[in-house]
Amino acid sequence: MSNQMYPLKFDPIYQYRLWGGRRLENLLSKPLPEDEPVGEAWLLSDRKDYANEVSEGALKGTTLTKLMQDFRYEIMGKLGGHFDHFPLLLKFLDCKEVLSVQVHPSDHQKEYIPDGDSGKTEAWVVLETSEDSRIYAGLKKGITKEKLLESIKNNSVSDCLHSFVPKKDDAVFIHSGAVHTLGGTVVFEVQENSDVTFRLYDWDRTDQKTGKPRELQVHEAVACIDFNQVDIGPVIPLKTPDLKDTEKLFDNEHFKVWRIKTESDCMVGFKDEPAILVCIDGGGSMNYNGKDYPIDKGEVMLLPALIGLLDLHPAQEITLLQIAISDKN
């Protein structure tokens, strides 16, 4: 059966969010739902409520969940023994308005995580900004639990948060336990495959669909905050000496992300482990078993471990994020 494997592309799943907009139209070819703010496009998700489906080829229509059941070792290679479900969740976010101030639990805070879920460490790459772009990441130094709770009562939470004005291409790492939010930006997000979010504060706004404020989880949020996570700014990309067009953005216990920007042919994929390619700009193609597999702006491609390394041929300059799953052992 394993000869069925090929580079896999997926249809995005759009999500209504009251803070969303319409800018994902610039990134994705699938039309947005009409007349409502779209905050998220889920690009690669293996969650029972939302699992992406393969968009083309022999496996078209198959969910990532089903692929992981039927072809786990072909897809995951040497990582196959570690994961029942695909361990990462990838999204584009259109944060037209600022999101709620939120925090995610870490993997060891089991009492705050539903069965079968995990904590949530995530990272962002900024794709578009606007006049009111701002990223809030971590607390300001010296903010205590008492000060934070007081600020929720008097609507001054933003005074407790470290923030900065992001630039296109900024890469920001949000470890579990870090208080965070963002607005006025379009970002790519990679995270643990988890949907556990606790809202600390939501700017006193009302959800147009329900006419009510959204629920807060202040007690849980505060319990999950790491008060040492302060003053988080953009990461400094690491140049790769042997790969002139590649820089490493993130490397942690859950995922590694490189940014490749090139007009020249280059290698993508890894030996005996999966790779995820996210095309941020431009386009190109790979040849596998005598067939061309193109990738264009806004598309996500999963290279099963079985495939290994491929040559990428840019059609013009291409900007790609290449993502690996960290081997926890």
Side-chain angles (χ1 to χ4, degrees), residues 126-150:
V126 177
L127 306 179
E128 294 180 34
T129 59
S130 56
E131 285 174 4
D132 59 349
S133 297
R134 187 157 283 274
I135 284 179
Y136 299 84
L139 296 164
K140 287 181 177 168
K141 282 196 180 80
I143 296 296
T144 59
K145 181 175 168 179
E146 292 67 35
K147 279 185 188 165
L148 190 60
L149 287 169
E150 186 61 32

Side-chain angles (χ1 to χ4, degrees), residues 3-167:
N3 62 359
Q4 281 196 16
M5 283 291 109
Y6 54 95
L8 299 164
K9 289 202 286 198
F10 294 83
D11 284 321
I13 300 169
Y14 291 129
Q15 306 275 12
Y16 161 81
R17 297 289 185 264
L18 84 163
W19 41 260
R22 308 291 295 173
R23 288 171 81 177
L24 296 181
E25 284 174 329
N26 306 345
L27 269 170
L28 293 152
S29 56
K30 181 181 175 184
L32 267 55
E34 283 182 26
D35 302 333
E36 70 174 35
V38 176
E40 304 190 5
W42 289 27
L43 306 170
L44 195 63
S45 163
D46 176 8
R47 298 193 62 76
K48 60 176 181 287
D49 42 356
Y50 299 106
N52 292 89
E53 295 182 359
V54 177
S55 60
E56 49 196 52
L59 292 165
K60 182 176 176 170
T62 309
T63 63
L64 181 55
T65 307
K66 183 88 171 97
L67 290 173
M68 284 293 289
Q69 286 166 358
D70 294 351
F71 306 107
R72 188 184 351 162
Y73 285 89
E74 289 91 334
I75 289 171
M76 301 300 287
K78 67 182 184 187
L79 304 177
H82 302 326
F83 302 107
D84 298 337
H85 289 278
F86 200 77
L88 301 180
L89 174 54
L90 276 58
K91 304 174 179 176
F92 289 137
L93 307 183
D94 175 6
C95 312
K96 183 168 183 261
E97 311 287 334
V98 67
L99 278 64
S100 62
V101 179
Q102 54 192 241
V103 67
H104 309 300
S106 66
D107 290 344
H108 66 265
Q109 290 174 309
K110 302 283 188 223
E111 66 272 35
Y112 297 105
I113 300 172
D115 279 353
D117 227 325
S118 67
K120 186 166 160 186
T121 284
E122 63 192 14
W124 302 323
V125 178
V126 177
L127 306 179
E128 294 180 34
T129 59
S130 56
E131 285 174 4
D132 59 349
S133 297
R134 187 157 283 274
I135 284 179
Y136 299 84
L139 296 164
K140 287 181 177 168
K141 282 196 180 80
I143 296 296
T144 59
K145 181 175 168 179
E146 292 67 35
K147 279 185 188 165
L148 190 60
L149 287 169
E150 186 61 32
S151 77
I152 294 168
K153 287 193 191 124
N154 58 29
N155 299 338
S156 61
V157 173
S158 60
D159 296 345
C160 295
L161 305 179
H162 169 72
S163 71
F164 62 93
V165 176
K167 301 186 299 296

Side-chain angles (χ1 to χ4, degrees), residues 216-232:
L216 300 179
Q217 299 89 23
V218 174
H219 171 77
E220 294 88 343
V222 170
C224 291
I225 290 171
D226 176 352
F227 284 85
N228 296 316
Q229 300 250 14
V230 296
D231 295 356
I232 299 164

Side-chain angles (χ1 to χ4, degrees), residues 165-190:
V165 176
K167 301 186 299 296
K168 186 177 184 299
D169 296 334
D170 274 355
V172 185
F173 182 56
I174 304 289
H175 198 281
S176 57
V179 183
H180 61 279
T181 187
L182 74 171
T185 55
V186 176
V187 299
F188 167 74
E189 178 178 273
V190 55

Side-chain angles (χ1 to χ4, degrees), residues 234-283:
V235 302
I236 297 165
L238 290 174
K239 293 290 181 196
T240 314
D242 48 336
L243 297 167
K244 66 178 174 62
D245 299 317
T246 300
E247 53 188 12
K248 185 185 273 186
L249 302 180
F250 307 111
D251 186 351
N252 59 80
E253 68 270 34
H254 303 292
F255 49 81
K256 300 173 194 171
V257 181
W258 295 262
R259 180 163 50 209
I260 303 166
K261 194 170 187 173
T262 185
E263 295 173 10
S264 315
D265 289 4
C266 65
M267 297 295 281
V268 290
F270 308 107
K271 187 173 181 243
D272 198 29
E273 59 180 289
I276 308 158
L277 305 177
V278 183
C279 186
I280 299 303
D281 213 359

